[in-house]
Amino acid sequence: MSDVIQLLPDSVANQIAAGEVIQRPASVVKELVENAVDAGAKNIHVSVIDAGRTTIQVVDDGVGMSGTDARLAFERHATSKIRQADDLFALRTMGFRGEALPSIAAVAQVELRTRRAEDELGTLLNISGSRFLGQEPVATPQGSNFKVENLFFNVPARRKFLKSNATELSNVLMAYERIVLVNPDISFTLHSNNSELMNLPATGLRQRIVDVFGKRTNQELLPVEVETDMCRIYGYVGKPEAARKKGAQQFFFVNGRYMRHPYFNKAIQTVFERIVPQGEQVPYFIYFEVEPADIDVNIHPTKTEIKFENEQAIWQILSAAIRDAVGRFNEVPTIDFDTIGRPDIPVYHEQGGTTKMPNVNVNPSYNPFSGTNSSYSQTRLSHKKDIPEQWEQLFPEMEERKQDLSLFEQPGNEGDVLSDKSTNHYQYKGRYIMTAVKSGLMVIDQHRAHLRILYEEYMDRTRHHHWTTQKLLFPEQLSLSAADRVALHAVELELRNLGFDFNDSDEGVVLRGIPAGIDDVAPDTLMTDVLVQAASLEHGATERMQETLVLGMARSAAIPYGQVLSNDEMDHLVNGLLKCADVNLTPDGKSIHFVLQQQEIEKMLG
């Protein structure tokens, strides 16, 4: 029997490694830009064509490479940062994997132009699918210029499973944001199909955040700063009013590297749980500086999950720092009378004579509960006399409501109709509506119920093309991030069909009108919430796009948690829910209500 185990050819091994390192165009952008940062570049320019499918080009003014180094950089496990295993635990730079460039070259056509400051001529290198095509001297500026073309040209199955250009470009922007937010001292530009998406000059950290996510962000940030023997934590956290239901910008970085960390995220959310409405999250940009030996960055292939040696202690430090930031923001300002413009308090001058006590005239025999003395009681009685005896006939919809209540009689909820037609509801913690039904106690999530009602109403208007535009008296200049503008362009036609009216130019996006009939929502908030929903959308089927955008509109306009409702408002909400096609689930599949059965109540009470 012949041997069955063989060594893989380098080209095949590189393609397998590329499957772990290079998953989409955004992966290429991440690896090349991080290499440029490590090379000491002060200006980095990125350009993509067709969201990176056709071309990705990264140009930097870093130290560059010699001809020999340029060639070795495309060999597997070649790196300038590691000489022994212990070096893995002292890294403060990004590109140490030794697989990025060979992985890129294994699935694309790569051209590299690079030159060091001390060299008169640089090096031109061409590689296609791990196959070396040529190397020659060339005149080129100091630094490196990588051009990656036809990504996955030799792996058609991988190329086939790439998402739409809008989705892939959104992923490119996400990877780009994570790098520029930790390198504010470097100038970055980003172009897509020759159109500029970002132009970020070198600046401070706060200004970099504002440049990336818009001027409005500047008013929403609270500084965070704490330093201990274990770590240094600094950055910014959003004010409570900056909380959003979805799409809040949340970033953790450790030693200049982006990371996900649910445990630390919980530390921040715990601080705000009694300050912001339930289900909403605040933005944050938090930076950790710890000794490299105290973290492990190799627990995840993409290095986005990092293990800390002292996680519990750092959790407490982070929580205290956030509480301090929020506490200083909420501090009551003192009145300073030693400033210009202080209020004039008149000086008392004694006029002589005596001051008389003011007289208060009261009627000691007044009884507010007496019909003869109370004009209020007389008014109530006079109104009561005006009520006709057969007043029920004034409300024919009561019978209609009784019929609608049968909608609750669904599998598993048989007989769950309201106990009587003049139901009093109870609101619990500004979130749930509790009402009696024949089988027990029904608990309804007020936000989800209203979301279902609005969604079905908006979808009906969409299907029948009944949307009109309500012009704004004063057009609003929107503060949108590059990712938001990409989402805007991807769904521009659908937004206009829904009634949005806006103008997009080099100066920014100006909102001139919103869909008519959506009240009590700030126009900029409505637009932003819809764009957040659009950013998560896989663009393609028009109907699916409409459903997603309508869901964003309904979510923005739905009754928020914490809003106090009168009994009439709760009654109107329950009736509206009863008329929906689906009374059990929200459009995104969450339960709207449940019934605590009478038998369960009796059992619990013994």
Side-chain angles (χ1 to χ4, degrees):
M1 184 176 179
S2 62
D3 296 332
V4 295
I5 297 179
Q6 299 178 3
L7 288 174
L8 289 173
D10 286 344
S11 59
V12 177
N14 284 342
Q15 285 194 13
I16 294 174
E20 297 180 358
V21 181
I22 308 302
Q23 301 171 345
R24 55 185 0 122
S27 306
V28 177
V29 172
K30 171 186 177 295
E31 298 291 348
L32 295 182
V33 175
E34 285 182 348
N35 283 345
V37 171
D38 288 344
K42 292 301 178 185
N43 296 279
I44 301 175
H45 308 281
V46 179
S47 177
V48 297
I49 304 295
D50 297 331
R53 296 169 188 266
T54 302
T55 305
I56 299 170
Q57 187 168 16
V58 178
V59 182
D60 69 70
D61 59 357
V63 297
M65 290 181 281
S66 66
T68 302
D69 284 347
R71 180 69 181 271
L72 281 174
F74 288 92
E75 297 295 331
R76 291 191 68 199
H77 308 303
T79 176
S80 63
K81 304 180 177 68
I82 299 175
R83 293 294 180 265
Q84 54 189 5
D86 289 344
D87 292 342
L88 281 170
F89 302 99
L91 285 168
R92 292 186 180 271
T93 54
M94 299 294 186
F96 66 89
R97 200 179 344 241
E99 294 178 354
L101 291 182
S103 296
I104 295 171
V107 292
Q109 297 163 341
V110 180
E111 176 188 280
L112 167 62
R113 297 171 182 264
T114 184
R115 182 178 71 83
R116 299 181 299 180
E118 61 267 29
D119 298 332
E120 293 185 4
L121 289 176
T123 301
L124 171 62
L125 203 66
N126 283 284
I127 300 177
S128 178
S130 292
R131 188 162 59 91
F132 178 71
L133 299 181
Q135 179 175 341
E136 59 185 77
V138 65
T140 187
Q142 176 189 337
S144 299
N145 181 341
F146 283 91
K147 180 184 283 188
V148 179
E149 297 182 304
N150 301 320
L151 187 63
F152 300 131
F153 78 100
N154 56 348
V155 193
R158 295 287 301 280
R159 189 175 178 90
K160 176 183 177 181
F161 282 97
L162 290 178
K163 305 296 184 180
S164 67
N165 282 357
T167 301
E168 294 299 341
L169 184 57
S170 178
N171 286 316
V172 168
L173 282 165
M174 188 184 303
Y176 201 69
E177 289 170 355
R178 294 172 179 176
I179 298 174
V180 302
L181 288 174
V182 288
N183 296 283
D185 57 330
I186 300 177
S187 173
F188 292 90
T189 61
L190 174 63
H191 288 77
S192 173
N193 295 342
N194 300 317
S195 176
E196 184 177 89
L197 295 183
M198 283 192 190
N199 190 333
L200 307 172
T203 184
L205 177 57
R206 186 181 187 119
Q207 187 59 47
R208 173 56 56 88
I209 295 172
V210 172
D211 289 343
V212 173
F213 297 109
K215 296 178 182 178
R216 180 175 165 186
T217 310
N218 193 37
Q219 309 300 321
E220 300 175 343
L221 299 179
L222 300 174
V224 176
E225 179 76 38
V226 63
E227 187 166 0
T228 69
D229 293 338
M230 189 175 299
C231 66
R232 178 188 176 217
I233 301 175
Y234 65 97
Y236 298 92
V237 66
K239 296 178 181 178
E241 58 263 32
R244 299 172 64 174
K245 299 174 186 175
K246 193 173 182 181
Q249 306 297 340
Q250 298 180 329
F251 293 88
F252 283 129
F253 302 94
V254 57
N255 294 350
R257 181 189 305 277
Y258 170 79
M259 70 168 179
R260 295 192 194 95
H261 210 293
Y263 185 56
F264 290 162
N265 175 73
K266 181 65 175 176
I268 296 179
Q269 299 307 326
T270 300
V271 175
F272 286 91
E273 63 183 359
R274 295 182 179 272
I275 304 175
V276 303
Q278 189 169 359
E280 295 190 5
Q281 295 186 328
V282 295
Y284 56 75
F285 306 85
I286 302 297
Y287 299 75
F288 299 83
E289 288 184 2
V290 300
E291 285 299 321
D294 294 338
I295 59 175
D296 186 357
V297 300
N298 286 307
I299 64 173
H300 192 273
T302 61
K303 309 295 187 286
T304 56
E305 296 181 13
I306 296 176
K307 180 69 176 176
F308 287 71
E309 182 179 352
N310 303 301
E311 281 192 347
Q312 187 171 2
I314 294 177
W315 193 97
Q316 295 173 345
I317 296 171
L318 174 62
S319 178
I322 300 298
R323 290 183 189 278
D324 179 64
V326 176
R328 282 186 278 113
F329 164 68
N330 287 329
E331 190 174 36
V332 178
T334 58
I335 301 177
D336 186 0
F337 290 105
D338 295 326
T339 59
I340 298 175
R342 60 183 178 272
D344 286 332
I345 301 177
V347 179
Y348 172 73
H349 296 284
E350 186 172 352
Q351 303 289 332
T354 59
T355 303
K356 295 182 178 180
M357 178 73 69
N359 294 325
V360 179
N361 297 321
V362 296
N363 180 4
S365 63
Y366 174 74
N367 183 352
F369 300 101
S370 170
T372 58
N373 294 330
S374 173
S375 60
Y376 174 69
S377 297
Q378 292 173 357
T379 303
R380 291 184 62 193
L381 289 172
S382 64
H383 282 298
K384 188 172 183 180
K385 292 178 182 178
D386 293 337
I387 300 176
E389 294 181 0
Q390 297 179 343
W391 61 270
E392 294 92 340
Q393 296 179 3
L394 297 175
F395 301 95
E397 68 272 13
M398 285 295 187
E399 189 63 32
E400 178 184 347
R401 178 182 171 186
K402 288 176 64 178
Q403 298 174 4
D404 288 337
L405 294 177
S406 62
L407 289 173
F408 272 115
E409 297 178 357
Q410 298 190 13
N413 293 331
E414 289 81 358
D416 288 340
V417 296
L418 301 186
S419 57
D420 59 60
K421 61 184 179 181
S422 57
T423 303
N424 285 323
H425 310 284
Y426 173 74
Q427 188 182 28
Y428 178 65
K429 290 193 173 181
R431 180 183 180 105
Y432 304 107
I433 296 173
M434 307 177 72
T435 188
V437 294
K438 288 186 176 179
S439 62
L441 181 67
M442 176 171 287
V443 181
I444 302 172
D445 187 300
Q446 68 183 41
H447 173 75
R448 294 180 183 179
H450 200 210
L451 174 61
R452 164 54 70 179
I453 294 168
L454 293 179
Y455 176 79
E456 294 197 5
E457 175 189 335
Y458 294 171
M459 280 304 301
D460 183 68
R461 293 169 66 178
T462 301
R463 294 188 194 99
H464 296 91
H465 307 286
H466 286 168
W467 285 107
T468 57
T469 300
Q470 177 183 332
K471 293 290 185 180
L472 299 181
L473 184 60
F474 300 102
E476 293 197 22
Q477 180 87 31
L478 299 180
S479 179
L480 301 180
S481 66
D484 289 336
R485 295 189 73 170
V486 168
L488 177 67
H489 295 155
V491 295
E492 180 175 354
L493 179 60
E494 286 73 19
L495 288 176
R496 295 191 186 279
N497 289 338
L498 291 173
F500 287 95
D501 182 17
F502 53 89
N503 181 45
D504 190 3
S505 64
D506 294 338
E507 287 74 29
V509 178
V510 177
L511 183 62
R512 297 180 299 195
I514 61 173
I518 299 183
D519 302 320
D520 301 326
V521 182
D524 59 338
T525 301
L526 176 63
M527 186 71 159
T528 302
D529 288 348
V530 172
L531 290 180
V532 168
Q533 195 73 29
S536 63
L537 176 64
E538 173 56 34
H539 305 278
T542 301
E543 183 177 354
R544 177 59 182 158
M545 293 174 71
Q546 290 176 341
E547 292 174 356
T548 303
L549 297 177
V550 165
L551 176 58
M553 293 165 56
R555 183 174 281 120
S556 181
I559 295 171
Y561 295 124
Q563 180 171 326
V564 178
L565 303 177
S566 68
N567 191 74
D568 287 343
E569 289 172 326
M570 288 187 280
D571 201 51
H572 182 74
L573 189 66
V574 172
N575 285 335
L577 178 63
L578 294 175
K579 296 178 181 178
C580 290
D582 186 346
V583 300
N584 294 317
L585 300 174
T586 63
D588 48 357
K590 296 179 180 178
S591 296
I592 297 175
H593 65 86
F594 75 92
V595 174
L596 185 59
Q597 299 293 329
Q598 180 67 25
Q599 297 89 333
E600 296 177 17
I601 298 175
E602 294 173 353
K603 182 178 180 181
M604 286 187 290
L605 293 176

